[in-house]
Amino acid sequence: MFLRTELTMKNHQFGRITESLADELAELRTIRFLDASQIQETDPKKALANLLSRAFSPITQDAHTLTDRFKRLLATDEVDLATFFERPDLKLTPAVFARLSLQLLAFEPEVDYDLDQPLTAYASLQLPFFEVQTFQHASDVWHAWYHLLTTHTKHGETYLDYLAQLGYFRPFYNVTTQPIFFNGKAQPVFDPHSLIREVVYVEAPLDSDQDGQRDLLKVQVIRPQVTETGYRAPVLYTASPYHLGTNDQWGQALTHQVDQALTEKPVTPAATTSEPKPSSVAPLPPKRIPAGYTQEASEHFAPENGYHLNDYFLSRGFAVVYAAGIGTRGSQGFRDTGSVAETLSTVAVIEWLNGQRQAFTNQCDQLAIDAWWSNRHIAMTGRSYLGTLATAAASTGVDGLKTVIAEAAISSWYDYYRDHGLVAAPDTFQGEDMDVLAAEVFSRRLDAGDYLKVKSAFGKTLNAIAKAQARANGNYSTYWDARNYLNQLSAIKADVVVIHGLNDWNVKPRHAYQLWQGLRDLPITKKLILHQGQHIYINNFRSLDVTDMLNLWLTNKLFDLDNGADTQLPAVLVQDNVSPETWHTYPDWPSSAQAKQTLYLGGNQLSPNPGPSQTQMTTYSDHLPDQQFNHYRKQIAAWQHDLLTDELGSPMANNRLLFKGPKLTQDWYLNGVPQVTLTISSDHPFGLVSCQLVDFGPAHRLTTKPTLLAKNQLSGAYDWRKDDLVEFTLNPQVSPYKMITKGHLNLQNQTSLWQANAVNPGQFYTVTLPLQPTVYHLPAGRQLGLVIYATDFATTIRGNQPIHYTVDLTKSRLDLPLN
Amino acid sequence: MFLRTELTMKNHQFGRITESLADELAELRTIRFLDASQIQETDPKKALANLLSRAFSPITQDAHTLTDRFKRLLATDEVDLATFFERPDLKLTPAVFARLSLQLLAFEPEVDYDLDQPLTAYASLQLPFFEVQTFQHASDVWHAWYHLLTTHTKHGETYLDYLAQLGYFRPFYNVTTQPIFFNGKAQPVFDPHSLIREVVYVEAPLDSDQDGQRDLLKVQVIRPQVTETGYRAPVLYTASPYHLGTNDQWGQALTHQVDQALTEKPVTPAATTSEPKPSSVAPLPPKRIPAGYTQEASEHFAPENGYHLNDYFLSRGFAVVYAAGIGTRGSQGFRDTGSVAETLSTVAVIEWLNGQRQAFTNQCDQLAIDAWWSNRHIAMTGRSYLGTLATAAASTGVDGLKTVIAEAAISSWYDYYRDHGLVAAPDTFQGEDMDVLAAEVFSRRLDAGDYLKVKSAFGKTLNAIAKAQARANGNYSTYWDARNYLNQLSAIKADVVVIHGLNDWNVKPRHAYQLWQGLRDLPITKKLILHQGQHIYINNFRSLDVTDMLNLWLTNKLFDLDNGADTQLPAVLVQDNVSPETWHTYPDWPSSAQAKQTLYLGGNQLSPNPGPSQTQMTTYSDHLPDQQFNHYRKQIAAWQHDLLTDELGSPMANNRLLFKGPKLTQDWYLNGVPQVTLTISSDHPFGLVSCQLVDFGPAHRLTTKPTLLAKNQLSGAYDWRKDDLVEFTLNPQVSPYKMITKGHLNLQNQTSLWQANAVNPGQFYTVTLPLQPTVYHLPAGRQLGLVIYATDFATTIRGNQPIHYTVDLTKSRLDLPLN
């Protein structure tokens, strides 16, 4: 009846800060682990008993019942805690404290640690040691207890957060009027079931649906009850176009056919696609004149399907704001994916939260309502499109936006739907494009009464997007340039946290890399976390205290608490791809200590030394038998397998070049942008090149998706929304290889993305193809592989054309950044 | 960015009851859709506007804001609802009401229905029609509205439950002291965040750890706040051995090696394994003498990771009780899987809830506490082991237990870990057995202080189980007979709902079948739901109103409300395996209208006519090359594929016999127990037979796991725990076959499970192998297949022995129950 997963637990905590004993004691008093009488105590064991009675207070306040619980804990490996407290001959030692802590932290005796070796376990589990050599005075216990409260349990949260889930902070609910901080982080002292949920309509400086009225945008506010009595809350704002519904079937109907031939692009002197006329260029209608002012909203909403990171902060004194933006259900306007108007509409909400833009209680009364409850300190959060809009907003330099946490965010829309002159789909979304996405999120369509009035006009917007994205062309253009946030990074004033998956082939790693490069020299604080996931969020992983780090960060940025977050958190954190639950810190990405390794192509080999200098020509075809082609169209995993396998008889054997390096004699750490230089010809006046870098060698590799460790384990507050605890674990099956990174280019864009070159059939061109950036640990014994091919069933269009490519191996190479 | 799933929506509601108009109006007043003044209204449109303003009351109570919302709804296909209310020329018609309803029910215009054909959509979506031909009077609207409130939305819940999620019932929270019923079902009028959670320790009539004291069992009670002021609550009790933790690693370590040879069993006149001496046979220590009495518990607990079905009822006036039972964390005693003691400990909690057994506030004070808040009407709920214990408890006939809802429950432990004389693992749990499970759930081990005292004694219990289960033997015995609830079914007084997956190869369909057979003639009400799932629960499926049915059922059984549940709900409900979202009703299982179809074996054919009568011998081997054997051990899916595929060159071709019937010219409906009769010999003095019945033919079949339709869609109360909306959908990939059912037997148990026969090498025996019961729709064009083999990598032990089996096809056949 049981599924079992073997794990190597390793705890990483970067969000813990070190305080003086005086501060520790003061904070313990603030969160009521000590009171005026207890602070008089001198005896270590009595002090410990007092603390434990506080820790168990949500469970029982009855002395005998508490003793019952103490009997279930071991103090020494032979004496239970109740007996330990009764026996004056038994002293409190570091081993006793550590053993007790391990039990309280839910580590499993005999499984996670040996009961007679608790201090060893502290080391092997990487738990931060409390550094008390002898418990001579109560203050030693208080210090160690403070330490325990900030230490992670087996389930990836601090012991204090675990106690919060048990109800420790319930007595604070009705008496607390201001946030309470502990170890530099806000605590859950506000009842998440007394939150106020209300709707306002922010007036954006846009008339994107050209109805002669500025667009009103529906904004959902969730604020603590104590804002009613004077407290002013910082705001976590998530702009999510998906939040109020999506048009999945419509999007599916609009999805482009990808089984199409690559064609020759016109060689024109400049980009031929032009930016569709932005709506915001039309004369902007005047602001609405308020008919009056109110502090009371007239519309409310039911508890949302929230974003776990935001949910965590809802009991900690933060407000959370969700806005789906222009063109979504309950809002006005039309959304043009990635446009300036989209950014302006995103920013309008921040301006309202910062007191610089007006909003109304509904769409008709013009009764103005201010964000009077806001402390004017705003952060943006969210993953994917949500994180993208956070990046977009930050790139305007809008006032009030103190930080953005951009998870798996797009930094340039060209890099999302195109690659180096080619249409290149995000993973699993073949045929999607800017127009499809615009239709998907146009949730005004879900309100039949609203949609009836704008159906025809929005159809025109959609057509304009379809034309401007110029799917048949693939070049970069003014259209794409206007949707490239990298152009505006210098305006950023907000501090930035970038979080991205090194295996994210939906929003590919280049997005984070380019953003990081653009932020590097700005006078802001920036942090980067690179994990081994695909397109996921990571605040529920056991091995890393993401939630604590972000609490430290947001408490610093939004409450202005001087907790040292800027220096406490590492600049760059990277999850190891070989050892589970292992994280490395770096000063930068690429890491500053760079070595370059060049590998040369010859035979089927990758070699550190150039081969013979005579020409070595190798040809491969892009054409497959119809049956094979149709099979791969439907079974992309089978295609990927056949592409990479070097088993004899792979149906892809003639459709790719595969090179393998020697077995490594030492570990290699790739860090940055691997680059392939090819001297290549096509027998057509056009062509495409794809490359994959591969880790070859049988191994148990990390699972591609996180393994569920404990369902609904995490919530961070009493009786509140729960999240699953997960972790990447080693796959029990051996895999023969893993793709490290990949890249694509259109041969006609070998010199410029803006402009196509002519390609003469049979003529050789030397092209440089930067693969997606990576950090990759390739252990000794593995072999690095490079696969060169054309059509990518997961990514490019698929014409199954009889194009033949020839590579001159002597003039081709692979350049690797190592550290 | 989007995953899309095509669906054919079909709504099935069996939990809706029909009421008189007078009752409808009375109930609408009870839930405040009508008040004393509104009931005076006569105009249909005004009545509708009043109802809508009530429906939107959680969102807004402001008239202009409400008008804003009305503008987003369409009344006709050209006029929005706000305008409709303003224009006296526009009348309320059934089409207008239906169109409005479809919008309120969240069906998507242009996707799920045509705005100009709302009545057609009612039919195609299978929504119950409100049966008003003309809206002449307000009462027509009230009737149609009552109907709407009880109709399912696109998201698989009643519109009233959807309004509850929006907050409709919040105003009831602090003023309601008794449950409120609507359409025969309890409504969420109690705040789920004011629930009282407390722990008591029930004294079981057992001393299973033989410490000279009766076992105290930790029981977690969750009861409505209003029990403090006189209300007496019915109880949903879930006995879950997993609830307080499990020993996964320990279980893994104890898991039996299954790559072992089948051996010859001794032929003995009677079962040689004996029942381990049950702890309860030792002289039972006396009851504890209470030191006093109290109504207040001294221990509390934090909100549990609940069971969604229970969660739904927590705001509806029900109490919920969780108990993990003997041997679990916080309880005393040792658990002996499936034993009488386990059942007694499960029942002890019911006896306490029914006022017939004592409990204490903790393990030391002997302060007695009664379940004074209970109305003494108890139901048991739960899936798998949880449902098993519900069946076990029901089979004692204990007073107070009014009904059990047994989902995927074991009805005889022999059928869980054994099959017809063989060790036979539950799906994905090869090597698990009674002892492994006992260790898994012995969560006292997680409390180091408690475990230290009982470690050695529990080890002996575990050894006794390991011996008694007699894994090397596989015969039925007194040990298994004492763990077969089917022996005691005649004692059942509780009404029973059985829910089981027809694709559940963990707790196999036989468990539900045997239970149903045993219940059939008892003077109780019983219902059966068979779904297409594996080992899952089904209260969150869109196509069937399981939650409503169970609300009707539990309201009837535990509140004694005369809502006709016994006759309203169909006796047997079966989900179709061909058409998604399709459910059939039957009077019984097997369906009463039975036809038997016999198919004969010959060549590779299954034929309705016997072949030539001369002997036709066919031989297969159980031995595989080592490499192939090792591959299958690790890749059971590959083995299953190779076993069933009739592609040339399957590595299993010599290790199985595969017979296929002709393409069906009409649909077949299998219903009951298919049975294989084989005349077979082994070249060893022992042997095993496995058979799979197979549906051959390329088709889009239902997904094996439910497809996620909407994450966190369902909760049934405001600001409360959410469940995902799911459904089985057609797999976009074509599959060539699907296993329908399977079965196994040990050749030495051809005449008796209790006693092994001798098997003479080379001698033919005619054996009858009943496969697991099923209900299966085999459409015209498909071919029925039968595969005969020996070792089952997923189920049996795997010795890779050179055993050869020979089947005399002329004396073998397949008997199918059809309807």
Side-chain angles (χ1 to χ4, degrees), chain B residues 209-391:
Chain B
D209 51 12
Q210 302 197 29
D211 65 352
Q213 296 265 310
R214 290 191 178 206
D215 297 338
L216 290 176
L217 306 178
K218 178 176 180 169
V219 174
Q220 295 180 316
V221 171
I222 310 160
R223 58 183 169 90
Q225 183 74 46
V226 286
T227 52
E228 292 285 305
T229 51
Y231 171 63
R232 294 296 170 257
V235 190
L236 304 182
Y237 161 39
T238 300
S240 168
Y242 312 139
H243 192 61
L244 300 174
T246 52
N247 301 305
D248 298 3
Q249 279 87 346
W250 194 19
Q252 186 158 27
L254 292 175
T255 294
H256 300 273
Q257 166 61 260
V258 296
D259 296 321
Q260 294 203 323
L262 190 68
T263 54
E264 185 178 358
K265 301 191 208 189
V267 178
T268 47
T272 54
T273 54
S274 63
E275 167 75 340
K277 195 177 171 188
S279 328
S280 54
V281 170
L284 188 62
K287 292 179 186 176
R288 287 169 180 80
I289 308 297
Y293 295 88
T294 182
Q295 293 211 340
E296 270 188 54
S298 69
E299 183 177 336
H300 300 270
F301 65 100
E304 64 294 338
N305 272 341
Y307 181 55
H308 280 295
L309 183 69
N310 293 343
D311 291 346
Y312 181 83
F313 290 100
L314 272 172
S315 55
R316 285 170 166 79
F318 293 78
V320 169
V321 164
Y322 290 98
I326 39 175
T328 64
R329 202 168 190 181
S331 291
Q332 301 175 341
F334 297 156
R335 177 182 297 266
D336 172 358
T337 315
S339 64
V340 172
E342 181 186 69
T343 301
L344 288 178
S345 76
T346 306
V347 164
V349 176
I350 298 172
E351 292 168 327
W352 175 69
L353 290 167
N354 198 34
Q356 295 167 324
R357 190 162 295 285
Q358 66 182 356
F360 302 99
T361 59
N362 59 28
Q363 291 198 13
C364 60
D365 284 345
Q366 304 198 184
L367 202 53
I369 182 165
D370 181 30
W372 51 266
W373 46 265
S374 154
N375 82 346
R376 314 304 191 193
H377 281 43
I378 299 133
M380 285 190 76
T381 59
R383 179 174 58 90
S384 197
Y385 205 160
L386 292 59
T388 305
L389 295 179
T391 302

Side-chain angles (χ1 to χ4, degrees), chain A residues 1 4 64 365 432 440, chain B residues 1 4 242 365 432 440:
Chain A
M1 293 186 164
R4 304 172 186 102
H64 289 181
D365 284 345
E432 196 177 278
E440 290 270 11
Chain B
M1 294 187 165
R4 303 173 186 100
Y242 312 139
D365 284 345
E432 196 177 280
E440 290 270 11

Side-chain angles (χ1 to χ4, degrees), chain A residues 1-2 4 59-60 64-65 68-69 72 193 242 298-300 363 365 429 432 440 445 449 719, chain B residues 1-2 4 59-60 64-65 68-69 72 110 193 242 298-300 363 365 429 432 440 449 719:
Chain A
M1 293 186 164
F2 284 86
R4 304 172 186 102
I59 303 297
T60 187
H64 289 181
T65 304
D68 247 18
R69 300 295 293 230
R72 299 185 208 163
H193 299 296
Y242 312 138
S298 69
E299 184 178 335
H300 299 269
Q363 291 198 13
D365 284 345
F429 300 108
E432 196 177 278
E440 290 270 11
R445 188 174 189 271
D719 193 14
Chain B
M1 294 187 165
F2 284 86
R4 303 173 186 100
I59 304 296
T60 187
H64 290 180
T65 303
D68 248 18
R69 301 295 294 229
R72 299 186 207 162
E110 299 187 3
H193 298 295
Y242 312 139
S298 69
E299 183 177 336
H300 300 270
Q363 291 198 13
D365 284 345
F429 299 109
E432 196 177 280
E440 290 270 11
D719 193 15

Side-chain angles (χ1 to χ4, degrees), chain A residues 263-426:
Chain A
T263 55
E264 185 178 358
K265 300 192 208 189
V267 179
T268 48
T272 54
T273 54
S274 62
E275 167 75 339
K277 194 176 171 186
S279 329
S280 54
V281 169
L284 189 61
K287 293 180 184 175
R288 288 170 180 78
I289 309 295
Y293 295 87
T294 181
Q295 294 210 341
E296 270 189 53
S298 69
E299 184 178 335
H300 299 269
F301 64 101
E304 65 293 339
N305 272 342
Y307 181 56
H308 280 295
L309 184 68
N310 292 343
D311 291 346
Y312 182 82
F313 290 100
L314 271 173
S315 55
R316 286 171 167 77
F318 293 79
V320 169
V321 164
Y322 290 97
I326 38 174
T328 63
R329 200 168 193 181
S331 291
Q332 301 173 343
F334 297 157
R335 177 182 297 266
D336 171 359
T337 316
S339 65
V340 172
E342 182 187 68
T343 301
L344 288 177
S345 77
T346 306
V347 164
V349 176
I350 298 172
E351 292 168 327
W352 175 69
L353 291 168
N354 198 34
Q356 294 166 325
R357 192 161 294 284
Q358 65 183 357
F360 302 98
T361 57
N362 58 30
Q363 291 198 13
C364 59
D365 284 345
Q366 305 198 183
L367 202 54
I369 182 165
D370 181 30
W372 51 266
W373 47 265
S374 155
N375 81 345
R376 313 305 191 193
H377 282 43
I378 300 133
M380 285 189 74
T381 59
R383 180 175 57 91
S384 197
Y385 205 160
L386 293 57
T388 305
L389 295 178
T391 302
S395 74
T396 67
V398 59
D399 284 341
L401 184 64
K402 303 298 182 189
T403 183
V404 299
I405 299 166
E407 297 189 63
I410 293 168
S411 58
S412 168
W413 284 89
Y414 185 82
D415 289 318
Y416 189 63
Y417 287 122
R418 303 288 182 271
D419 195 359
H420 219 126
L422 291 170
V423 166

Side-chain angles (χ1 to χ4, degrees), chain B residues 123-168:
Chain B
S124 68
L125 295 165
Q126 295 187 188
L127 300 178
F129 183 55
F130 44 85
E131 284 167 8
V132 174
Q133 302 308 324
T134 54
F135 286 90
Q136 295 184 321
H137 182 275
S139 64
D140 296 323
V141 178
W142 297 328
H143 166 70
W145 187 263
Y146 182 94
H147 208 278
L148 172 62
L149 290 175
T150 60
T151 298
H152 263 208
T153 74
K154 180 175 181 174
H155 303 305
E157 60 185 347
T158 63
Y159 184 56
L160 183 57
D161 271 4
Y162 169 71
L163 293 179
Q165 289 200 46
L166 290 189
Y168 184 82

Side-chain angles (χ1 to χ4, degrees), chain A residues 733, chain B residues 258-259 425-431 628-644 652 692 737 742 792-796 798:
Chain A
Q733 305 287 346
Chain B
V258 296
D259 296 321
D427 188 36
T428 74
F429 299 109
Q430 267 285 27
Q628 199 64 36
F629 176 76
N630 284 321
H631 172 58
Y632 288 153
R633 281 174 57 221
K634 292 176 200 156
Q635 303 278 2
I636 291 179
W639 164 77
Q640 174 73 8
H641 171 271
D642 293 348
L643 177 73
L644 297 192
M652 284 295 293
Q692 292 191 14
Y737 49 72
K742 68 199 272 191
D792 189 308
F793 281 76
T795 312
T796 67
R798 313 179 294 206

